[in-house]
Amino acid sequence: MFAFGFGIAATNEKGECLDTFFPLPIYEPDVQLAAYLDKAFDDGVNELSTQQLNKIIEPLSGLGNQQADAQAHIVRAFSASTASADTANAKLVAVKLNADLAILSTPEAYLKLHLLSHCLCLPNSMNLDGLFEKLPTVCWTTAGPVDPSEITDRLTSARLKGQHLEVQSVDKFPRMTNYVIPPGVRIADASRVRLGAYLGAGTTVMHAGCVNFNAGALGPNMIEGRISQGVVVGAHSDLGGSSSTMGTLSGGGKIKLSLGENCLVGANAGTGIPLGDRCTIEAGLYITAGTHVELLANDGKASKIIKARELAGQSDLLFIRHSQTGKVICRTNLAAVELNETLHANN
Amino acid sequence: MFAFGFGIAATNEKGECLDTFFPLPIYEPDVQLAAYLDKAFDDGVNELSTQQLNKIIEPLSGLGNQQADAQAHIVRAFSASTASADTANAKLVAVKLNADLAILSTPEAYLKLHLLSHCLCLPNSMNLDGLFEKLPTVCWTTAGPVDPSEITDRLTSARLKGQHLEVQSVDKFPRMTNYVIPPGVRIADASRVRLGAYLGAGTTVMHAGCVNFNAGALGPNMIEGRISQGVVVGAHSDLGGSSSTMGTLSGGGKIKLSLGENCLVGANAGTGIPLGDRCTIEAGLYITAGTHVELLANDGKASKIIKARELAGQSDLLFIRHSQTGKVICRTNLAAVELNETLHANN
Amino acid sequence: MFAFGFGIAATNEKGECLDTFFPLPIYEPDVQLAAYLDKAFDDGVNELSTQQLNKIIEPLSGLGNQQADAQAHIVRAFSASTASADTANAKLVAVKLNADLAILSTPEAYLKLHLLSHCLCLPNSMNLDGLFEKLPTVCWTTAGPVDPSEITDRLTSARLKGQHLEVQSVDKFPRMTNYVIPPGVRIADASRVRLGAYLGAGTTVMHAGCVNFNAGALGPNMIEGRISQGVVVGAHSDLGGSSSTMGTLSGGGKIKLSLGENCLVGANAGTGIPLGDRCTIEAGLYITAGTHVELLANDGKASKIIKARELAGQSDLLFIRHSQTGKVICRTNLAAVELNETLHANN
């Protein structure tokens, strides 16, 4: 079994699903639990009544299995409060995905986004076909998800009752932190990290940082720049303030970008090519695939001029723009290499 | 008649107006409705009691006119809840503007900002004299607008009751989405779009995008950069991440900036001159009015060096900084022109 | 006595402090009040029961001293609502700091951050040793501070009750505006200004602006860029959209950055050196300490090439990158000097 989760789905006034929150989704449930779930639920989305919830608790706890116990704990909480959930335009669901196929419903889309943000699946490792089609555009408010066609009435009636609704976002993707708080992570402004972002332990996303879905930082990292959809940043690599990683959706071509370990993209800099390990782009310099770069040999003598795309994925590079000739230059990043040797010497 | 709206005004403890929300403002009401409104209300702001509200409903619905019916619907909602609105430091108002004159009150200022965000009036098409003077600085909180002089007491008493207030902004302009959600628009982080922004259908504002009041994108557009006050972006033009359009308020001189259709301002790039159609500025390059630009003829041979302001508003330009000489160069954007011909060929 | 404050501390389910809000902190209390506080409280954090609060009111008001009266007013509010505060995982505290020593507790850390944001102490003027260690990482939600270990349960139970929690940030530092609203300041997006920021009257922080703790703008200023930890911006200096001031924590070396008065760092520009008065960096140009700069004499003739760090702290400089040679050039900023003379002439 690919994945499973008990979830709370918010609905609009027609009963259509706006989002789904999975408190504890599972990637590849262990054999014992998978066998039980397979018997109990259909592939895809299963709506659950209180009666059904009550029936599940005993067999789940009876498995005597830690993973199953944790799920039984959630089902008990769901069961205790179905009534109020009904009032609140919510549905309780079990989503079972036998295999990693194209996305067929909103709850399935949310389950996959949860798997990414729980760091259970790496970006670019899952089938996300159908994601955009199955994610409705939602008004994300301080009173929860609201259908855009219902928002003006909600804003009006709140005001007339002396209450207040903040519309935080109008988007297909909600902020991650309303669903998943990965351990060991700090996020200065949570409105800038979408559900489906992957943030490994030790990662800090500062106020100017942004992380899209199906993208992320393996941790530890300092992220003050933008991580576009599909981009993965390796351990100990930092993105300076407002720095840019060019996305495939926005003119970056077909190469999927990634950064290796111990890289630094300086403040207001950017890259349109993937970087290996220990690469640096100086503050304010934007390297695109088509940038002509003078490649300097280790002895400092000019060797040749090439397009940056020919350096894609290589390690130990330092990119600067010479401040007196305006030339974009790439040197072997000797400082980083030496640092690396020091580290090895201390092993 | 220039404009009309029934609104809910939030007030401070002295009864002074902090903002006004108009669920369904009207630009140039149709003749029949205008005739009725003209008789029923004074020019400017009219405070409404429950009694007055009740008196309006019948004649409004009696007009047998779709626009009037929609307004009657709002008046009925207002009438049903005046009591609670009174408790909540709110006033119900009708704002009638016979002509597009200077702004004389806070509700009038809000009505004009609503007209922009409802895409009823284009940026730079309205008289906004008096706007800054008539907009009070407000603490925009998750419990609604609060006067700055009352905020410390509110924060303290909320905490002491085990409640909580988030102060989202301290500004003259609130976020647009608490008042208007334009159809067909996505806004990843709503704190970055001010009321008074104009966002046409098909526009997406990403996390690094910002849109000021009296400014906007005609749609469809991908906006990941900053649209300064007064700037208008044409259809199918994109602003890359953190890109900048220089505002007249912040050193951009007196030329009002605009972008035509099918333009691209790359990530971390910027422009201080208006652009025509099909113009591109490469990622990381900032063109100001005073930038010296080498203008290349179509045959690739250098023609002459001019200041960028001489190219203001022209079409089919591609701006790059040569990565080996540091020269800022402008070429005819052949790729865009060819693309355009392909599109026409497919019509 | 260095500082004092009555505060409301939010706690997690174990009773551990998550934050502390001080409605009216005092820097260097006047002699009379200090004498009383010294007798009444221990150095550091004092938890207060209703009984203790009631005992304090009379002697405080009895001092017949304006500063003491304002504190008595707070104690009365605290005393009236202790019961509900208890329910709400809150503690009432008095924090007394006899001297500016290393930080030993969370309430002390918060008191020092309040002193900065109340503009009572300048950035870099206080002993902040221990700050990071004593600030817990907190989920800052629309229902108040929540311990990260408790957040999933809180999100789940809120959803099941038809309620909703927005997690605004996961960080050691909360947003300033939930604690302090400095007079005469506008902040377009409050999620980007940390508690501990110093914003002098007349400062506007726009949507792309960020201000870290122990950093700020003396006012009046227009801040559309990032003010890193430790950086101070002088009066009448502006940071353009997405501009960068390099922090000591993020590769900027050991020199603490500051900007004097009447400076302009253009949009998407940045500085890695401190600037004196009347300096300008053109839009899109990033000056680091190691940038080679051609220094032009007033007569416009080239003089010599130096590293930017040699210009650190000097006044009347204009930095540009020549748009035809790619050279980074520094000229004496004649326009600014002339402007300055005009201003003096009008005194």
Side-chain angles (χ1 to χ4, degrees):
Chain A
M1 187 177 298
F2 172 66
F4 180 84
F6 288 109
I8 309 165
T11 57
N12 65 11
E13 290 183 3
K14 292 180 201 151
E16 295 159 344
C17 180
L18 297 175
D19 80 341
T20 311
F21 167 53
F22 297 93
L24 194 62
I26 316 175
Y27 170 68
E28 297 191 347
D30 61 38
V31 181
Q32 215 178 4
L33 178 58
Y36 170 72
L37 296 173
D38 218 25
K39 218 171 47 192
F41 300 107
D42 293 335
D43 194 29
V45 182
N46 302 260
E47 284 191 31
L48 301 172
S49 66
T50 311
Q51 211 179 2
Q52 285 169 302
L53 285 163
N54 288 337
K55 268 193 211 160
I56 303 166
I57 298 172
E58 217 170 306
L60 260 183
S61 348
L63 290 177
N65 158 311
Q66 219 181 346
Q67 215 176 33
D69 283 352
Q71 297 298 315
H73 176 74
I74 291 170
V75 175
R76 260 189 295 267
F78 279 22
S79 157
S81 54
T82 313
S84 49
D86 281 348
T87 325
N89 289 342
K91 282 177 185 167
L92 302 175
V93 294
V95 179
K96 193 182 72 165
L97 298 178
N98 289 335
D100 181 18
L101 304 177
I103 292 163
L104 298 176
S105 69
T106 305
E108 289 175 36
Y110 273 84
L111 180 55
K112 288 198 170 177
L113 295 175
H114 275 70
L115 295 179
L116 284 159
S117 290
H118 275 279
C119 298
L120 294 170
C121 294
L122 283 168
N124 306 316
S125 74
M126 256 189 293
N127 184 342
L128 296 177
D129 291 352
L131 182 66
F132 270 74
E133 292 81 350
K134 294 305 173 190
L135 290 179
T137 296
V138 171
C139 294
W140 303 103
T141 82
T142 43
V146 175
D147 192 298
S149 70
E150 298 165 6
I151 190 68
T152 303
D153 281 353
R154 288 288 295 273
L155 288 171
T156 307
S157 71
R159 285 252 181 180
L160 289 172
K161 285 178 205 158
Q163 295 168 357
H164 184 75
L165 226 62
E166 289 279 300
V167 179
Q168 306 263 59
S169 167
V170 182
D171 200 0
K172 288 178 171 292
F173 297 85
R175 58 170 69 176
M176 180 183 76
T177 55
N178 288 356
Y179 303 81
V180 185
I181 311 280
V185 163
R186 289 201 283 142
I187 301 170
D189 180 359
S191 56
R192 297 168 73 85
V193 177
R194 277 177 162 172
L195 182 62
Y198 180 112
L199 296 179
T203 297
T204 298
V205 184
M206 288 292 283
H207 307 77
C210 286
V211 191
N212 213 326
F213 74 95
N214 192 42
L218 302 181
N221 302 90
M222 175 61 71
I223 305 299
E224 308 196 40
R226 300 181 298 276
I227 302 185
S228 301
Q229 200 272 114
V231 174
V232 178
V233 176
H236 304 287
S237 286
D238 295 343
L239 295 184
S242 284
S243 65
S244 164
T245 56
M246 210 175 253
T248 49
L249 298 178
S250 50
K254 285 162 197 166
I255 313 173
K256 223 159 213 182
L257 236 76
S258 62
L259 277 72
E261 304 193 347
N262 295 296
C263 290
L264 172 64
V265 181
N268 294 6
T271 182
I273 60 165
L275 302 176
D277 298 328
R278 297 171 303 278
C279 291
T280 299
I281 300 177
E282 72 163 352
L285 175 62
Y286 208 113
I287 299 290
T288 64
T291 302
H292 288 86
V293 174
E294 185 180 60
L295 192 65
L296 285 193
N298 269 359
D299 58 8
K301 289 177 193 155
S303 54
K304 55 175 178 172
I305 291 169
I306 58 173
K307 288 207 171 179
R309 68 165 54 87
E310 295 181 47
L311 295 167
Q314 292 194 31
S315 294
D316 298 307
L317 304 179
L318 169 64
F319 291 91
I320 63 160
R321 185 190 300 273
H322 192 286
S323 47
Q324 285 303 305
T325 66
K327 274 187 194 184
V328 176
I329 292 170
C330 175
R331 295 198 270 144
T332 296
N333 189 353
L334 289 170
V337 175
E338 279 162 14
L339 179 68
N340 197 40
E341 279 161 0
T342 314
L343 286 172
H344 278 277
N346 289 336
N347 278 347
Chain B
M1 187 176 300
F2 171 65
F4 180 84
F6 287 109
I8 310 167
T11 56
N12 65 10
E13 292 184 1
K14 292 179 201 152
E16 294 159 346
C17 180
L18 297 175
D19 81 341
T20 310
F21 167 53
F22 296 93
L24 193 63
I26 316 175
Y27 170 68
E28 297 189 348
D30 61 37
V31 181
Q32 212 178 7
L33 178 58
Y36 171 71
L37 296 173
D38 218 26
K39 214 171 47 191
F41 300 108
D42 292 335
D43 194 28
V45 182
N46 302 260
E47 285 192 34
L48 301 172
S49 65
T50 310
Q51 212 178 3
Q52 286 169 302
L53 285 162
N54 288 337
K55 268 193 211 159
I56 303 166
I57 298 172
E58 217 170 307
L60 260 183
S61 346
L63 290 177
N65 159 313
Q66 218 181 346
Q67 215 177 33
D69 283 351
Q71 298 297 318
H73 176 74
I74 292 170
V75 176
R76 260 188 294 267
F78 279 22
S79 156
S81 54
T82 313
S84 49
D86 281 349
T87 324
N89 290 340
K91 282 178 186 165
L92 301 175
V93 295
V95 179
K96 193 181 73 164
L97 298 178
N98 288 335
D100 181 19
L101 305 178
I103 292 164
L104 298 176
S105 69
T106 304
E108 289 176 37
Y110 273 84
L111 180 55
K112 288 198 171 179
L113 295 175
H114 276 70
L115 294 180
L116 283 160
S117 290
H118 275 279
C119 298
L120 295 170
C121 295
L122 283 169
N124 306 316
S125 73
M126 256 190 294
N127 183 344
L128 296 178
D129 292 351
L131 182 66
F132 270 76
E133 293 80 351
K134 293 305 175 191
L135 289 178
T137 295
V138 171
C139 293
W140 304 102
T141 83
T142 43
V146 175
D147 192 297
S149 71
E150 299 165 7
I151 189 70
T152 303
D153 282 352
R154 288 288 296 271
L155 289 170
T156 306
S157 72
R159 284 252 182 180
L160 289 172
K161 285 179 205 155
Q163 295 168 357
H164 183 76
L165 226 62
E166 290 278 301
V167 180
Q168 307 264 58
S169 167
V170 182
D171 200 359
K172 287 178 173 292
F173 296 86
R175 59 171 69 177
M176 180 183 76
T177 55
N178 288 354
Y179 303 81
V180 185
I181 312 278
V185 163
R186 289 199 286 141
I187 302 171
D189 180 359
S191 56
R192 298 168 72 86
V193 177
R194 278 177 162 172
L195 182 63
Y198 181 112
L199 297 179
T203 298
T204 297
V205 184
M206 287 292 283
H207 306 78
C210 287
V211 191
N212 214 327
F213 73 95
N214 192 41
L218 301 183
N221 302 91
M222 174 61 70
I223 304 299
E224 309 197 39
R226 301 181 299 276
I227 302 184
S228 300
Q229 200 273 112
V231 174
V232 178
V233 176
H236 304 288
S237 286
D238 296 341
L239 295 184
S242 284
S243 64
S244 164
T245 55
M246 210 174 253
T248 48
L249 297 179
S250 49
K254 284 162 200 165
I255 313 173
K256 221 158 215 184
L257 235 75
S258 62
L259 276 73
E261 304 193 348
N262 296 294
C263 291
L264 171 65
V265 182
N268 294 5
T271 182
I273 60 165
L275 302 176
D277 298 328
R278 296 172 302 279
C279 292
T280 299
I281 301 178
E282 73 163 351
L285 175 62
Y286 208 114
I287 300 291
T288 64
T291 301
H292 289 87
V293 174
E294 185 182 61
L295 191 64
L296 285 194
N298 269 0
D299 58 8
K301 289 178 193 156
S303 53
K304 55 175 177 173
I305 292 170
I306 57 173
K307 289 207 173 180
R309 68 166 54 88
E310 296 181 47
L311 295 166
Q314 294 194 28
S315 295
D316 298 308
L317 304 179
L318 169 65
F319 292 92
I320 62 159
R321 185 189 299 273
H322 192 286
S323 47
Q324 286 302 306
T325 66
K327 273 187 194 183
V328 175
I329 293 170
C330 175
R331 295 198 270 144
T332 294
N333 188 354
L334 289 172
V337 174
E338 279 161 16
L339 178 68
N340 198 38
E341 279 162 0
T342 313
L343 286 172
H344 279 276
N346 290 334
N347 279 347
Chain C
M1 186 176 302
F2 171 66
F4 180 84
F6 288 109
I8 309 166
T11 57
N12 65 11
E13 291 184 3
K14 292 180 199 152
E16 294 159 347
C17 180
L18 296 175
D19 82 338
T20 311
F21 167 54
F22 297 94
L24 194 62
I26 316 175
Y27 170 67
E28 297 190 347
D30 62 37
V31 182
Q32 213 178 6
L33 177 59
Y36 171 72
L37 296 172
D38 218 25
K39 215 172 48 191
F41 300 108
D42 292 334
D43 193 29
V45 182
N46 302 260
E47 284 191 32
L48 301 172
S49 65
T50 310
Q51 212 179 2
Q52 285 169 303
L53 285 162
N54 288 337
K55 268 192 211 160
I56 302 164
I57 298 171
E58 216 170 308
L60 260 183
S61 347
L63 290 177
N65 158 314
Q66 217 182 348
Q67 215 176 34
D69 284 350
Q71 297 297 315
H73 176 74
I74 291 170
V75 175
R76 261 188 293 268
F78 279 22
S79 156
S81 53
T82 313
S84 50
D86 281 349
T87 326
N89 291 339
K91 283 177 186 167
L92 301 175
V93 295
V95 179
K96 193 182 74 166
L97 298 178
N98 288 335
D100 182 18
L101 305 177
I103 291 164
L104 298 176
S105 69
T106 304
E108 290 175 36
Y110 272 84
L111 180 54
K112 288 198 169 176
L113 294 175
H114 276 71
L115 295 179
L116 284 159
S117 291
H118 275 279
C119 298
L120 295 169
C121 295
L122 282 168
N124 306 315
S125 74
M126 256 190 292
N127 183 343
L128 295 177
D129 292 350
L131 181 67
F132 270 75
E133 293 81 351
K134 294 305 174 191
L135 289 178
T137 296
V138 170
C139 294
W140 303 103
T141 83
T142 43
V146 175
D147 192 298
S149 71
E150 299 165 5
I151 189 70
T152 303
D153 281 353
R154 287 288 295 273
L155 289 170
T156 307
S157 72
R159 284 252 182 179
L160 289 172
K161 284 179 206 156
Q163 295 169 357
H164 184 76
L165 226 61
E166 289 279 300
V167 180
Q168 306 264 59
S169 166
V170 182
D171 201 359
K172 289 178 170 292
F173 296 85
R175 58 171 69 177
M176 180 183 77
T177 54
N178 288 355
Y179 303 81
V180 185
I181 311 279
V185 163
R186 288 199 287 142
I187 302 171
D189 180 359
S191 57
R192 298 169 73 85
V193 177
R194 278 177 160 172
L195 182 63
Y198 180 113
L199 297 179
T203 297
T204 297
V205 183
M206 288 291 283
H207 306 79
C210 286
V211 191
N212 213 326
F213 74 96
N214 191 41
L218 302 182
N221 302 90
M222 176 59 71
I223 304 298
E224 308 197 40
R226 300 181 299 275
I227 302 185
S228 301
Q229 199 273 115
V231 174
V232 178
V233 176
H236 305 287
S237 286
D238 296 342
L239 295 184
S242 284
S243 65
S244 164
T245 57
M246 210 176 252
T248 49
L249 298 179
S250 50
K254 286 162 198 165
I255 313 173
K256 223 157 214 184
L257 236 74
S258 62
L259 277 73
E261 304 192 347
N262 295 296
C263 289
L264 172 65
V265 181
N268 294 6
T271 181
I273 61 166
L275 302 176
D277 298 328
R278 297 171 302 279
C279 291
T280 299
I281 300 178
E282 73 163 349
L285 175 62
Y286 208 113
I287 299 290
T288 64
T291 301
H292 289 86
V293 174
E294 186 181 61
L295 191 65
L296 286 193
N298 269 358
D299 58 10
K301 290 178 193 156
S303 53
K304 56 175 176 173
I305 291 169
I306 58 173
K307 289 205 172 181
R309 67 166 54 88
E310 295 181 49
L311 295 167
Q314 294 194 29
S315 294
D316 297 307
L317 304 179
L318 169 64
F319 291 92
I320 62 159
R321 186 190 299 273
H322 192 286
S323 47
Q324 285 303 305
T325 66
K327 274 188 195 186
V328 176
I329 293 170
C330 175
R331 296 198 269 144
T332 295
N333 189 351
L334 289 171
V337 174
E338 279 163 14
L339 178 68
N340 198 39
E341 279 162 1
T342 313
L343 287 171
H344 278 276
N346 290 334
N347 278 347

